Amino acid sequence: MTDISLSLDINRLKRTKAGKQQKQEAIDREMVIIGAGPAGLSAGLYGARAMLKPLILVGPALGGQAATTDEMENYPGFPDGIGGLDLAEQMSLQARQFGAEIAYEEVTSVDLSAYPFVLKTHGPLIRARSMIICTGTSPRQLGIPGEKEFWGRGVSTCATCDGFFYRDKTVVVVGGGDSALDEGIFLTRFAEEVIVVHRRDRLRAGPTLVARANSNSKIRFVWNTVLDEIVGDQSVKRVRGHDVKTGESLDISCDGVFIYVGLIPNTQLFRDQLELDKDGYIVTDKRQRTSVEGVFAAGDVQDPWFRQVVIAAGSGAAAAIEAERFLSEKAFEEQQQQVAD
Ligand code: NAP
């Protein structure tokens, strides 16, 4: 893995032996980017090339959802495909080469009514003159008995991370979209059988993945079925479900369950401060502007339609260009005000 330098002032903060901060220092930045998936890292690259020394706050993990994809075949410029984490590392390196700073700090709250905007983290307080939100999405859960109990010991949403544990075993994949098929196909590298359980009799996934899944002898489909429970003792032993058309119940013996039933936007921090749509996605205009001037959003957190890495990267670049314009205009206005005073 590429080494990520933490040159930021954040890491020079003194902490007590108990790990508590002695004094909350404040950092002032022209551009703060929350999230380091393809959108955040592209915004960082563009912000850095505009000499804004952007600060990218990584949060849970570098690369976002894309980093959990084993092989990406549709990111332009890589005819042989590229791993999601590999791509994130290359993007991070490129952004840092131009002066972006990356910090593994989680944002705990934001105040968008103040200007500069205020971000609280477990470390320092950050004041940002412009902000780009690239917090992406998280996998939706089924909310059935057994899901929480077996999380991390038989239930997963990341085949790249956990597939290895299912060598010669049987796994159930839930969902009928691109993620379910993509990850299901990946799981056939390890598992003896991959059973895709879908609530309808038609897949939502695109034709390329459908064709690949159909031609894979390790994949079997169970149609019109939803799961009601994940059952086991120390580990998962089977799933219980029912046919939505006939009502008939069924039991499938398996060693693991991989859930791909869609994504939910990570916008909890911005609720009541930014305009969100009915599903919680941030509303942006064509120039990545949100309902608060100086706050931009890019990537999946504002995109319920495409959710593609190449589109996230493009919107991140657009957001940084717009943020730079906003900052220039703001600086000009402030200068004019000073002259007038
Ligand atoms: P998605 O497209 O929203 O599909 C979610 C699937 O889960 C659907 O088949 C849906 O069924 C099913 N589902 C939803 N709620 C359910 C529930 N409560 N119980 C059972 N099934 C449920 O999500 P995704 O597959 O994660 O894809 C997200 C985005 O990433 C998409 O835009 C996709 O194109 C993109 N992506 C692309 C690739 C690629 O290789 N190009 C790979 C991965 C993801 P219905 O079909 O009945 O609604």
Side-chain angles (χ1 to χ4, degrees), residues 74 176-179 198-200 204 260-262 306-308:
N74 54 6
D178 284 327
S179 297
H198 183 34
R199 66 181 177 182
R200 290 190 291 149
R204 179 177 291 277
Y260 299 104
V261 293
F306 302 111
R307 298 183 283 199
Q308 299 293 309

Side-chain angles (χ1 to χ4, degrees), residues 146-147 150-157 162 166 230 236 256-259:
E147 187 180 33
F150 291 106
W151 200 263
R153 52 190 189 104
V155 177
S156 171
T157 53
D162 300 327
Y166 297 92
I230 298 168
V236 168
V257 184
F258 287 79
I259 300 167

Side-chain angles (χ1 to χ4, degrees), residues 27-333:
I27 293 173
D28 286 285
R29 286 299 175 124
E30 290 290 297
M31 180 183 281
V32 174
I33 298 162
I34 313 178
L41 293 170
S42 299
L45 170 63
Y46 274 70
R49 285 180 60 84
M51 310 294 279
L52 292 167
K53 217 178 169 213
L55 169 59
I56 307 174
L57 300 170
V58 176
L62 185 81
Q65 282 284 310
T68 64
T69 304
D70 172 59
E71 187 80 5
M72 234 179 273
E73 293 173 330
N74 54 6
Y75 195 82
F78 297 93
D80 298 326
I82 182 165
L85 185 57
D86 204 9
L87 181 66
E89 285 173 349
Q90 295 295 327
M91 285 180 163
S92 156
L93 179 67
Q94 197 176 359
R96 284 183 294 124
Q97 271 170 355
F98 287 101
E101 289 197 63
I102 294 187
Y104 285 83
E105 278 292 345
E106 194 186 339
V107 178
T108 54
S109 72
V110 295
D111 183 356
L112 304 182
S113 64
Y115 191 80
F117 310 116
V118 176
L119 295 91
K120 285 190 181 157
T121 70
H122 293 299
L125 186 124
I126 301 166
R127 286 188 295 251
R129 288 175 56 81
S130 71
M131 187 189 292
I132 304 178
I133 301 166
C134 307
T135 46
T137 54
S138 297
R140 180 182 286 133
Q141 296 181 8
L142 287 170
I144 56 171
E147 187 180 33
K148 266 205 186 101
E149 293 85 327
F150 291 106
W151 200 263
R153 52 190 189 104
V155 177
S156 171
T157 53
C158 181
T160 314
C161 323
D162 300 327
F164 183 78
F165 301 114
Y166 297 92
R167 197 173 284 273
D168 302 325
K169 307 237 159 132
T170 298
V171 293
V172 161
V173 167
V174 190
D178 284 327
S179 297
L181 293 204
D182 209 10
E183 306 283 313
I185 293 165
F186 177 75
L187 283 166
T188 60
R189 290 188 196 187
F190 312 99
E192 190 176 65
E193 188 179 26
V194 174
I195 304 166
V196 179
V197 176
H198 183 34
R199 66 181 177 182
R200 290 190 291 149
D201 58 3
R202 243 186 103 93
L203 293 164
R204 179 177 291 277
T208 309
L209 283 170
V210 171
R212 280 176 57 198
N214 279 332
S215 65
N216 192 315
S217 60
K218 285 187 171 181
I219 294 182
R220 171 162 77 88
F221 289 94
V222 175
W223 303 108
N224 299 316
T225 298
V226 294
L227 297 192
D228 299 314
E229 190 178 0
I230 298 168
V231 185
D233 40 43
Q234 297 301 72
S235 59
V236 168
K237 296 289 178 224
R238 63 184 196 280
V239 291
R240 280 202 194 116
H242 70 273
D243 186 310
V244 292
K245 289 200 165 156
T246 63
E248 205 175 305
S249 20
L250 91 168
D251 243 53
I252 304 172
S253 296
C254 62
D255 306 287
V257 184
F258 287 79
I259 300 167
Y260 299 104
V261 293
L263 305 164
I264 41 175
N266 297 321
T267 47
Q268 298 86 334
L269 283 175
F270 315 104
R271 225 170 262 161
D272 305 324
Q273 300 197 66
L274 283 181
E275 187 186 346
L276 306 180
D277 74 7
K278 64 175 181 22
D279 298 315
Y281 287 86
I282 296 176
V283 174
T284 53
D285 66 8
K286 283 185 180 164
R287 293 164 59 185
Q288 309 306 136
R289 295 179 296 192
T290 70
S291 55
V292 172
E293 204 189 9
V295 179
F296 304 82
D300 286 6
V301 74
Q302 51 85 62
D303 171 21
W305 305 282
F306 302 111
R307 298 183 283 199
Q308 299 293 309
V309 174
V310 64
I311 292 170
S315 67
I321 292 169
E322 282 298 329
E324 191 278 327
R325 284 185 187 146
F326 163 79
L327 289 167
S328 300
E329 280 164 23
K330 193 95 184 152
F332 181 71
E333 276 168 24

